[in-house]
Amino acid sequence: MKIVVLSGAGISAESGLKTFRDHDGLWEGYNVYEVATPEAWQANPEKVQEFYNMRRKAVLEAEPNRAHYLLKDMEQLADVHIITQNIDNLHERAGSRKVLHLHGEITKARSSARHDLLYAMDGWELKMGQLCELGSQLRPHVVWFGEAVPAMDEAEEITAEADVLVVVGTSLQVYPAAGLVHCVRPGTQVYCVDPAASEYSKQSNVIHIPEKAGTGLQKVYDALRTLI
Ligand code: NAD
């Protein structure tokens, strides 16, 4: 059996990393469009670097929570593929083996000239003046609003093979990632774990579990264990 998980910022909320839909479009006090767009990078790269340096520091200081560990434990039940919109590395640090990042990974730096030139980072700080091997400024390895999502094709293929889809901690407001839920085959069992209801969670093929990620995923885990 193949379980596909689509995770969003809500799964890391209990690790102390803030979502932004819960804060009127603000992410840690910043308007996301002023720090997470190519235009922002053109206009004020120092501010963008500073924002992501702070996010990277917070990620390095955070720990995976019960929800991340439950997804790792699900690998004992089935073939689990996690597709995450998160740029943190908490799924990996909990031990999940198959993690696809749709929006990049904050613990890596990327050439601003070539998107496939990636560099692992040691610490939290990426400075202006740090260059790739081609001589261009390094930027955070994240997908900004308005940029292409290179991992979408692979994510769609994985989702189309799901026997069970688990959607957790995402407002499903950010496209194209949100469109993935429509890639499942008809009849696929879907669980949606989120304290807030959405148009999607009200659909008849979706079991909405209106809980925080840890408690909600425990319920999904228990339900799947009786099925498998
Ligand atoms: P979002 O902020 O739009 O939505 C968060 C969702 O999580 C909401 O539906 C909310 O009800 C739910 N939620 C809040 N607390 C929860 C909890 N304890 N348990 C379960 N659900 C909870 O986030 P999104 O849908 O992921 O999309 C926004 C974008 O923000 C993504 O592209 C992502 O890259 C970026 N982001 C990432 C991080 C991270 O990497 N940790 C943090 C903030 C934002």
Side-chain angles (χ1 to χ4, degrees):
M1 175 182 279
K2 185 164 182 163
I3 300 174
V4 176
V5 179
L6 175 62
S7 69
I11 196 170
S12 297
E14 288 169 272
S15 294
L17 302 178
K18 282 190 189 151
T19 66
F20 66 76
R21 298 285 157 187
D22 297 315
H23 306 274
D24 295 330
L26 295 180
W27 189 0
E28 300 282 354
Y30 288 80
N31 176 334
V32 287
Y33 296 100
E34 288 177 7
V35 286
T37 61
E39 292 76 19
W41 176 249
Q42 289 301 325
N44 195 343
E46 291 82 4
K47 182 177 176 184
V48 174
Q49 292 284 34
E50 181 187 278
F51 173 74
Y52 283 101
N53 281 341
M54 290 303 109
R55 303 285 69 70
R56 194 177 295 104
K57 196 161 186 280
V59 164
L60 295 177
E61 287 168 3
E63 297 292 338
N65 66 55
R66 181 176 162 209
H68 298 102
Y69 287 113
L70 277 164
L71 293 179
K72 154 70 185 152
D73 291 347
M74 261 181 215
E75 292 182 5
Q76 292 164 12
L77 304 178
D79 181 23
V80 178
H81 289 252
I82 297 174
I83 301 171
T84 187
Q85 297 166 83
N86 293 347
I87 57 176
D88 68 51
N89 59 0
L90 297 183
H91 286 303
E92 288 90 341
R93 282 163 55 198
S96 285
R97 285 178 302 156
K98 296 176 184 170
V99 184
L100 181 66
H101 284 268
L102 287 176
H103 295 158
E105 296 168 77
I106 197 168
T107 50
K108 294 179 182 166
R110 176 210 285 184
S111 163
S112 49
R114 262 198 31 205
H115 285 189
D116 56 342
L117 271 185
L118 301 181
Y119 301 87
M121 287 183 62
D122 278 339
W124 60 272
E125 197 175 15
L126 186 55
K127 293 182 180 151
M128 296 307 292
Q130 274 182 266
L131 308 179
C132 74
E133 65 213 57
L134 302 176
S136 292
Q137 175 63 43
L138 288 176
R139 55 166 273 186
H141 173 45
V142 297
V143 173
W144 288 324
F145 289 99
E147 290 189 314
V149 181
M152 267 313 279
D153 287 351
E154 187 181 353
E156 286 174 4
E157 281 167 26
I158 293 169
T159 308
E161 291 173 351
D163 297 301
V164 175
L165 177 67
V166 180
V167 180
V168 53
T170 171
S171 60
L172 295 176
Q173 299 286 310
V174 177
Y175 282 81
L180 276 178
V181 295
H182 303 298
C183 293
V184 292
R185 291 170 295 190
T188 303
Q189 179 65 66
V190 181
Y191 296 92
C192 188
V193 177
D194 198 303
S198 63
E199 283 311 309
Y200 179 70
S201 68
K202 291 180 202 156
Q203 280 186 197
S204 58
N205 63 324
V206 178
I207 297 175
H208 179 210
I209 301 175
E211 306 268 11
K212 289 184 175 177
T215 310
L217 283 180
Q218 183 67 57
K219 291 185 177 174
V220 174
Y221 184 90
D222 292 343
L224 291 175
R225 203 167 39 182
T226 59
L227 277 182
I228 297 169

